[in-house]
Amino acid sequence: MTPRRNWAGNVHYAARRFHQPASFDELRRLVAGSDRLRVVGSGHSFNRLGDTTGDLVSLAGLPTAIALDRDAATVTVPGALRYGDLATHLHERGYALANLASLPHISVAGAVATGTHGSGERLGNLGAAVAGLELVTADGDLLTLDRRTEPETLAGAVVSLGALGVVTRVTLDVVPTFALRQYVHLGLPRESLDAALSSAYSVSVFTDWRTPTLREVWRKQRAEEPPPAADWLGTTAADHPRHPVAGMPPEHCTPQLGEPGPWHERLPHFRLGFTPSSGEELQSEYLVPRSAAADVLAALDPVAHLIAPVLQVCELRTVAADRLWLSPAYDRDSLAVHFTWIADADRVRPVLAAVEQRLAPFAPRPHWGKVFDIVPAAVAATYPRYADFRALAARLDPAGVFRTDLLDRYLPRD
């Protein structure tokens, strides 16, 4: 196969063959005949979770039909579909998803499988909207899971890390379409962090760890709500569009300055037609208890001098608790502490170790698709359904067809 890399370029896939099946039957035969297989979606994982030494499969060639069920308030979509493309389709028909991630470029199946999220005190991660899954298991059989008939198994299968099978179709809850306005505020005092995070439908707080003040707050509020005061929580209103990463073009970002627009053109930070973030980066993220937000920042202060030189931006977001077994927000409202690092693994690695050491008292759960190095036992201890997921994986994939080195480290087989 031609050498392939992930989106950030830090992972060169080791697969010996690359496939793009054109039908579900072709995919099922491929899975049944492989001893090692993984699916590559949009390639937005920053670690080797999606890598394999066997067969790497793209689902981009499969049928792309989208089925909207207005009575059930759900939509069933191909796993390879990008959120940005789905959002446009839904909005044109009067519907929306409750939440989106900061970038619309990611595939539905890959995003929910890794616990990817947006922001909002009352909004769960993207997987919380999953009402059903269709996947091809290791023997090539088709397994369909539905929230109404198998709620427990579905709760275990949504954030699957690709360990259970090839997710071909996903059914998601939808809501009526809605409009938002996006405001950017500069210079948030730390003591106002909790108030800021709960102040709008979706909120992101950005900092660079160079000053005690939090650099920017991006608030995505319902369009019908009154605009914030010019000195909201002691901040200054931005008078021109911003980009989270200093020096990057603001044209890459969704409209700001309070201009009203549809949900899918405000919830993400980045526009679908542009490179998200900086494009040259590594990313790490840790979910900790929401109630510990102030203590978490204080715990990181002693290593701020290490963080700042290798940081592009740090983002703080909130995620509502869910019941998905391997979700980083399982059973606890969470604060997500996200680091966009420079693209230099050798310089970032020791800083990452220092950050993880400072976060250890808060039982951090790393984002499964980012760069992290917390010891496996510590990660396992934060997931009450850890053993249940391992048992589910052993039942659906007894031969380990979908295993990777990262899975073997963090979710070893018996």
Side-chain angles (χ1 to χ4, degrees), residues 7 49 56 62 154 187 190 205 215 239 257 260 319 333 351 401:
W7 170 76
L49 180 64
L56 197 63
L62 295 182
L154 181 64
R190 274 211 193 178
V205 177
R215 194 184 75 194
D239 60 3
L257 304 179
V319 188
D333 293 334
V351 179
V401 171

Side-chain angles (χ1 to χ4, degrees), residues 39 52 65 108 139 178 181 219 233 276 286 294 320:
V39 174
T52 179
V108 173
D139 54 8
F178 57 96
R181 298 176 188 267
R219 297 176 61 257
L233 291 182
Y286 306 91

Side-chain angles (χ1 to χ4, degrees), residues 8 35 80 87 127 136 164 168 173 192 195 206 225 227 248 257-258 274 276 304 307 374 386 412:
D35 62 341
V136 176
L164 307 182
T168 52
D173 297 325
S192 298
F206 295 96
E225 295 176 353
M248 293 298 295
L257 304 179
F274 294 89
I307 296 172
I374 301 176
Y386 174 84

Side-chain angles (χ1 to χ4, degrees), residues 275-296:
T275 299
S277 195
S278 71
E280 293 288 335
E281 64 202 68
L282 300 174
Q283 292 184 12
S284 300
E285 186 173 43
Y286 306 91
L287 274 70
V288 297
R290 168 67 179 87
S291 58
D295 292 336
V296 166

